[in-house]
Amino acid sequence: MDNMLVSSWFHLHSTVPLSYVQPPESRPGTASVISGKSIPVVDLGSHDHAETLLQVLRASEEYGFFQVVNHGVSKELMDDTMNIFKEFHGMPELEKISESSKDPNGSCRLYTSREINNKDFVQYWRDTLRHICPPSGEFMEFWPQKPSRYREIVAKYTQEMRALGLKILELICEGLGLDPKYCSGGLSESPLLLGHHYPPCPQPSLTLGTPKHRDPNLVTILFQENDINALQVFKDGEWIVVEPIPYAFVVNIGLLLQIISNGRLIGAEHRVVTNSGTARTTVAYFIRPTKESIIEPAKPLTCSGAPPIYKPIAFDDFLRIFMTKGPDIETFL
């Protein structure tokens, strides 16, 4: 069962299988959850550039999370994208596996729980389709062809995400006092798309859809459904619910931007809880560097007396260490 997609068998169980039961200290409810507090919301359509810059930087420093509205991505494309991922995850298991297994090198793949899976570790209540989506269009021939419009819709969506992501990065870099284009080029040339699907869970208090973690990238742009509170951000010892705003995107700072900013920005910890009544689908766009890119504190931020607190590392090495050390990688760096 652990090797099967959760969406293939969740409806057959009235209890959570033992391999999905979290240890007591990791279960939802072991730390207080604040529902009245929210992460910042930034209006990217504002004509006050200085104020927008200040809001983005402050949110990135204090929360590592914010939502953006008036971002320029059409509602029609957002609806089409969410629907195509729902349709994909609703297909029969063997068909989904076939459609996501075309590249022997694994540029596109479908997995359950997490990408690096081990039966010795607790499992997570989700299925994920992931594939790289570089701006060159390379590897698109390995994307699913079913549902029929998948490639057409997702190609348009990733183009819009790239434009939005670069705009957000330019605001962040300018706010840090760097060249606004600092993160353009190799630092953002290898993006990744993940379509997560969280089926209904019979015992949400015992398991998680995604564990407490930080993202191994520069920035994540998340599109989540409007009516399900599942994403939570850890701040000051408490969990803050990221309540969905219709047609907004959730932006979170990754570990790489924490390194580049020399610790000024927060690669915030977050998790996803499950619910018993409704399936949840999300689409996450990871802005990532090329494998050979060197990740290090930006020199303009360390030449004025502030010593670098992280050592340089190639992104390929960073990923390898992240997959083995997980939360301990910051100490290693």
Side-chain angles (χ1 to χ4, degrees), residues 7-20:
S7 54
S8 298
W9 53 259
F10 76 93
H11 58 287
L12 302 175
H13 292 262
S14 58
T15 59
V16 171
L18 187 59
S19 58
Y20 285 81

Side-chain angles (χ1 to χ4, degrees), residues 203-327:
Q203 294 175 294
S205 62
L206 296 182
T207 191
L208 287 169
T210 304
K212 182 181 179 181
H213 72 288
R214 290 177 290 178
D215 289 346
N217 58 10
L218 273 77
V219 166
T220 301
I221 304 176
L222 179 77
F223 177 27
Q224 61 175 346
E225 294 187 83
N226 294 333
D227 53 353
I228 304 169
N229 292 337
L231 176 62
Q232 299 177 348
V233 180
F234 197 62
K235 178 174 168 56
D236 300 329
E238 297 176 307
W239 290 102
I240 299 173
V241 177
V242 181
E243 298 185 7
I245 298 173
Y247 296 107
F249 289 109
V250 179
V251 178
N252 71 272
I253 305 300
L255 273 170
L256 302 188
L257 209 48
Q258 178 175 315
I259 294 170
I260 290 169
S261 70
N262 204 33
R264 184 171 171 183
L265 307 186
I266 299 174
E269 293 178 306
H270 52 289
R271 70 180 182 183
V272 174
V273 299
T274 62
N275 76 90
S276 60
T278 309
R280 177 175 179 262
T281 301
T282 64
V283 185
Y285 182 82
F286 276 27
I287 302 177
R288 308 189 313 165
T290 55
K291 289 184 177 182
E292 64 274 9
S293 295
I294 301 300
I295 310 302
E296 61 183 338
K299 289 188 169 52
L301 302 181
T302 60
C303 64
S304 58
I309 59 176
Y310 302 104
K311 59 186 180 182
I313 187 170
F315 179 57
D316 197 26
D317 294 332
F318 173 91
L319 270 185
R320 176 177 49 80
I321 297 166
F322 181 86
M323 290 299 186
T324 55
K325 291 187 175 290

Side-chain angles (χ1 to χ4, degrees), residues 26-63:
S26 300
R27 295 174 191 171
T30 54
S32 60
V33 177
I34 307 175
S35 58
K37 193 172 183 179
S38 59
I39 65 170
V41 179
V42 178
D43 182 356
L44 292 182
S46 169
H47 297 296
D48 189 337
H49 179 75
E51 179 62 22
T52 302
L53 203 69
L54 180 63
Q55 289 180 10
V56 167
L57 188 64
R58 185 182 297 154
S60 301
E61 290 176 331
E62 297 179 3
Y63 289 83

